[in-house]
Amino acid sequence: MAASNEIKMYCVEDSTFCYPSENFQKNALINNNELYNMAKTDGIDFWEKMAEGLKWFRKWETVFDESNPPYYQWFTEGKLNVSYNCLDRHIDEGRGNKRAIVFEGEKGDVVSLTYKELLLEVCKAANVLKQMGIGKGDTVTIWMPMLPETVITMLACTRIGAVHSVVFGGYSPEALRDRIDASGSKLLVTANGSNRKGKEFPMITNAGTIIDECPSLEKVIVLKRTDIPFDLKPGRDHLWDELMNNTEESCSPEEMDAEDPLFILYSSGTTGKPKGILHTTGGYLVGVNTTFRYVFDYKDDDIYWCTADIGWITGHSYVVYGPLSCGATVFIYEGTPDYPARDRFWELIEKYKITILYTAPTAIRTFMRWGEDLPAARDLSSLRLLGSVGEPINPEAWLWFYKHIGNERCPIVDTWWQTETGMIIISPLPGVTPMKPGSATFPFPGVEVDVVDDDGNSAPPEQRGYLVIKTPWPSMLRTLYNDNERYEQTYWSQFPGLYFTGDGAMKDSDDYIWIMGRVDDILNISGHRIGTMEVESALVDHPAVAESAVIGKEDPVKGQSISAFVTLKEKYEGSNDLVDQLKQHVVKKIGPIARPGEIFFTVELPKTRSGKIMRRLLRDIAEGRRLGDVTTLMDPNVIEEIKNKYSS
Ligand code: PRX
């Protein structure tokens, strides 16, 4: 328990405002408006100053090049290497023996790597990549569990200038195939299996079925993580351990151009085809380095834990590149919060004396359901800062997190950003910003954000509108891989000159930003982004399905859950068995994260006269609301029928 008010935070009675404690403010890296003022005076100059904190092999000529919008460039002509900035730089500065990664596996196995040791592993892995024929500009797909080797492989790619495409380990082999194909990867790095809740799940044997369908793929490296047997195809497949034990120990970093591609990360869009979001080297690193330092008030003795999987952008930016470029000690856990028991996270915080915890609202709401006794039974006094990301955090969850995990001592940074933005865009600065539970508060210094109406004009306070970013920022996506047209269309066509986020938002009368969720056909299931069209395509792929409409239904824990409305082909009839089959089919096509919570059979789907499915009305039905405007429907009877059947 916190002993005195001095170290307690302070919330005004109705919890509209929560202030960091005096103690936190006093010790914070930033405890006044200097960073905001600096950025307000000159945003470009601000980012240039931030870039000076990294090690460049050659300094840039131009900080920001806006000559060819929306293809903006940052730090042009500058040369640097990401792995050098994440590893060698700290060793050169005398921090080689500091722990870089502390890993605990689900079974309790522990790996601790100092910066020196991590560099050695990364250099070996970089040499292995070279042996596999990978060079600058080649793409490597990484489909791995949460392991130190996953981070090592990513950093090894950056060492030699290869572009990584990490695919979340929970995606199905078919989803993996689509992403390997779209990125033209030459190499796949994977494992024989993963550990999850006491069971072992095969990876390479499952992927075996799709590898032959990927013409670009030449080699596969397999890490043995489980006891699951597997075969290696001679000439193509290699064992991680064998390669790593028989290679050179040093590898000089490739001098990369600031605008050379760093990675592709596939994310869901509003069509069935995932978007290859492309990030480049210099601007991305400046963005994540700066935001990690200031949003998390990073101190040299912090033990930082971000619970996101490396397969998502949060894992890229705030498990790997942000913290390691700051020289932080990063804790990584392989497993889930409920295995072997529901206090696993609190046990780990106690054991490793975690100081900063960055997690998702879904997890927080789950912990709430499990009850406060579990965290109360553990010593969480090492924690000093909490973070939330991925979806709107409801004030109730915010206050629970604040009270039962942070013990009313720890500020909470509710960070809004996207795969596309690369770095945190809206967040409190924990030593400066009075927080409002449920609001992500203000834009990070050097970023300009607004809420606009249908015409792109600033919306008045308290009025709902669209969240836009007004000026380019260093870690923005540069394009969608191989699809400039979709890049321009998706982000730059709604409001000329403004980046459209796809989110609805509101500013209150104190200028605080409140995110209201997506306004497009993208679902947010437990903080994971899934396109309605992706799930619809997976359903229609099943022989029984004629057509489908998928919506996100409000869910008290996951934020949203998937409801699917399905019309069947003539000779098929709806049954529980078919529901199970269809759910399984979606899992096969995409992965367990996209499994529909409910499937509802209907004779017709509600459509406008131009044939567009009106998902909005289906959402009204699923969430038990009165139906919205039905005047544009081709046949209003259809929706009435669905409503009656659904509620019966
Ligand atoms: O809708 C917003 C929501 O997550 C979307 C971005 O998803 P993704 O690219 O997968 O990245 C997630 C992790 C950065 C956004 O468009 N979102 C993210 N953070 C927040 C949020 N919604 C509300 N509050 C947040 N803090």
Side-chain angles (χ1 to χ4, degrees):
M1 245 341 217
S4 75
N5 278 338
E6 204 221 348
I7 60 164
K8 286 255 177 186
M9 272 176 51
Y10 173 67
C11 281
V12 293
E13 231 159 57
D14 59 358
S15 296
T16 36
F17 280 105
C18 290
Y19 298 89
S21 69
E22 251 177 60
N23 197 49
F24 189 96
Q25 281 184 49
K26 198 173 72 204
N27 294 312
L29 217 49
I30 301 293
N31 48 21
N32 57 38
N33 282 332
E34 73 184 278
L35 220 53
Y36 289 114
N37 293 341
M38 196 172 137
K40 212 179 277 168
T41 316
D42 186 340
I44 308 290
D45 197 42
F46 170 81
W47 286 116
E48 176 160 36
K49 288 214 171 62
M50 297 298 121
E52 281 161 6
L54 296 176
K55 167 80 184 168
W56 297 76
F57 297 135
R58 185 182 148 187
K59 202 179 166 180
W60 51 89
E61 297 283 324
T62 314
V63 180
F64 173 51
D65 177 355
E66 55 181 328
S67 57
N68 183 25
Y71 301 95
Y72 302 103
Q73 300 204 327
W74 288 82
F75 310 111
T76 50
E77 311 294 324
K79 298 261 185 210
L80 77 167
N81 180 280
V82 167
S83 77
Y84 186 92
N85 273 284
C86 290
L87 303 167
D88 313 56
R89 187 164 60 99
H90 309 309
I91 299 166
D92 295 348
E93 289 167 7
R95 279 173 288 156
N97 293 327
K98 182 177 174 181
R99 290 179 304 170
I101 292 179
V102 179
F103 166 83
E104 180 156 331
E106 195 182 77
K107 294 179 176 151
D109 48 318
V110 176
V111 177
S112 175
L113 293 169
T114 63
Y115 273 92
K116 260 192 204 154
E117 291 164 339
L118 182 57
L119 175 64
L120 176 66
E121 294 304 305
V122 168
C123 285
K124 287 195 308 191
N127 290 326
V128 163
L129 294 179
K130 284 187 193 167
Q131 273 165 252
M132 296 287 110
I134 300 299
K136 190 171 175 174
D138 288 332
T139 309
V140 175
T141 294
I142 302 172
W143 190 54
M144 299 263 271
M146 273 296 270
L147 299 173
E149 288 83 351
T150 317
V151 181
I152 290 166
T153 308
M154 290 164 80
L155 288 167
C157 288
T158 74
R159 189 105 187 143
I160 63 168
V163 180
H164 60 67
S165 165
V166 182
V167 177
F168 173 55
Y171 272 124
S172 71
E174 288 193 29
L176 171 69
R177 178 198 57 205
D178 295 347
R179 286 157 177 77
I180 293 175
D181 238 9
S183 65
S185 289
K186 286 167 75 174
L187 171 71
L188 169 67
V189 184
T190 185
N192 70 331
S194 62
N195 294 304
R196 202 177 152 83
K197 301 195 192 194
K199 293 199 188 110
E200 294 189 337
F201 290 88
M203 290 184 86
I204 178 67
T205 43
N206 281 3
T209 53
I210 58 97
I211 290 174
D212 291 337
E213 297 167 22
C214 300
S216 62
L217 212 54
E218 293 168 6
K219 303 271 183 199
V220 180
I221 299 178
V222 186
L223 175 81
K224 193 173 172 310
R225 177 62 187 157
T226 61
D227 292 328
I228 299 174
F230 60 103
D231 297 322
L232 295 178
K233 187 170 169 183
R236 188 193 68 187
D237 301 350
H238 301 266
L239 271 179
W240 170 278
D241 278 357
E242 260 171 35
L243 294 169
M244 288 290 277
N245 290 338
N246 292 295
T247 195
E248 296 280 310
E249 296 196 340
S250 69
C251 172
S252 54
E254 191 73 35
E255 294 199 5
M256 302 300 290
D257 205 276
E259 282 297 337
D260 277 335
L262 180 64
F263 65 83
I264 305 168
L265 185 53
Y266 284 89
S267 185
S268 295
T270 52
T271 70
K273 202 173 142 223
K275 303 187 282 199
I277 290 166
L278 180 77
H279 283 287
T280 57
T281 305
Y284 173 80
L285 196 65
V286 171
V288 295
N289 177 265
T290 309
T291 47
F292 176 77
R293 175 173 293 114
Y294 296 119
V295 170
F296 295 104
D297 183 50
Y298 168 66
K299 307 275 169 50
D300 197 36
D301 55 356
D302 274 318
I303 316 276
Y304 162 85
W305 183 15
C306 165
T307 65
D309 192 281
I310 289 175
W312 310 114
I313 190 68
T314 309
H316 283 57
S317 299
Y318 299 107
V319 174
V320 184
Y321 297 117
L324 294 180
S325 69
C326 285
T329 298
V330 179
F331 176 69
I332 297 175
Y333 178 55
E334 182 185 31
T336 56
D338 55 348
Y339 185 86
R342 286 177 168 180
D343 69 343
R344 187 71 171 122
F345 275 21
W346 320 130
E347 181 196 349
L348 291 167
I349 290 171
E350 182 178 74
K351 176 171 173 190
Y352 291 98
K353 304 203 170 8
I354 304 291
T355 59
I356 304 172
L357 175 70
Y358 190 32
T359 191
T362 291
I364 299 166
R365 290 191 293 263
T366 306
F367 300 140
M368 278 172 82
R369 259 200 339 188
W370 293 345
E372 50 256 29
D373 292 352
L374 296 174
R378 297 282 179 177
D379 178 6
L380 306 183
S381 60
S382 56
L383 286 172
R384 63 177 197 88
L385 181 66
L386 303 173
S388 165
V389 61
E391 44 180 320
I393 177 164
N394 45 314
E396 197 195 353
W398 196 104
L399 288 164
W400 189 91
F401 198 31
Y402 158 71
K403 200 162 165 197
H404 297 291
I405 307 305
N407 226 330
E408 301 181 15
R409 284 178 300 108
C410 308
I412 299 178
V413 285
D414 173 5
T415 61
W416 179 92
W417 57 295
Q418 309 178 298
T419 308
E420 290 87 341
T421 68
M423 68 176 209
I424 292 167
I425 293 289
I426 307 174
S427 167
L429 287 185
V432 182
T433 317
M435 290 150 281
K436 287 194 186 190
S439 164
T441 74
F442 303 112
F444 187 80
V447 187
E448 286 182 71
V449 161
D450 201 3
V451 176
V452 298
D453 63 18
D454 287 334
D455 302 320
N457 301 317
S458 284
E462 309 288 343
Q463 191 170 302
R464 246 183 120 123
Y466 305 102
L467 185 71
V468 296
I469 307 178
K470 286 165 69 177
T471 47
W473 63 102
S475 68
M476 62 193 291
L477 79 166
R478 295 303 192 261
T479 190
L480 295 177
Y481 189 62
N482 282 338
D483 204 344
N484 285 348
E485 198 184 321
R486 192 172 175 196
Y487 167 67
E488 293 180 23
Q489 180 64 30
T490 310
Y491 307 105
W492 301 98
S493 67
Q494 284 80 356
F495 306 110
L498 302 175
Y499 168 88
F500 177 51
T501 62
D503 275 25
M506 188 198 81
K507 273 190 192 174
D508 69 15
S509 47
D510 300 317
D511 247 11
Y512 279 67
I513 298 165
W514 297 77
I515 309 292
M516 327 290 273
R518 304 288 308 192
V519 293
D520 52 14
D521 290 328
I522 293 180
L523 309 175
N524 193 329
I525 313 295
S526 301
H528 299 147
R529 190 163 143 176
I530 298 164
T532 48
M533 282 282 288
E534 267 174 284
V535 185
E536 286 167 4
S537 313
L539 285 166
V540 171
D541 182 72
H542 189 279
V545 177
E547 210 175 12
S548 80
V550 161
I551 56 145
K553 176 179 172 176
E554 236 171 71
D555 183 283
V557 174
K558 295 177 174 177
Q560 284 185 314
S561 64
I562 297 179
S563 292
F565 292 78
V566 166
T567 62
L568 295 174
K569 289 184 187 152
E570 253 173 26
K571 54 181 195 288
Y572 291 91
E573 236 173 79
S575 65
N576 287 342
D577 185 44
L578 187 55
V579 167
D580 290 342
Q581 265 188 46
L582 293 181
K583 287 184 180 177
Q584 214 29 54
H585 195 70
V586 176
V587 172
K588 177 171 167 265
K589 299 298 288 182
I590 307 175
I593 49 167
R595 183 198 304 271
E598 60 178 15
I599 292 182
F600 187 77
F601 297 111
T602 163
V603 186
E604 288 266 19
L605 292 172
K607 290 185 186 157
T608 60
R609 278 173 215 112
S610 57
K612 198 170 168 280
I613 297 172
M614 293 196 71
R615 295 188 185 84
R616 165 173 68 75
L617 296 175
L618 295 172
R619 215 173 299 132
D620 288 342
I621 291 177
E623 292 175 357
R625 274 192 304 272
R626 271 185 51 194
L627 288 179
D629 184 10
V630 294
T631 49
T632 53
L633 278 180
M634 188 155 47
D635 180 357
N637 293 327
V638 170
I639 196 77
E640 278 305 323
E641 233 168 78
I642 297 176
K643 190 178 162 197
N644 293 339
K645 258 177 121 187
Y646 188 90
S647 44
S648 66

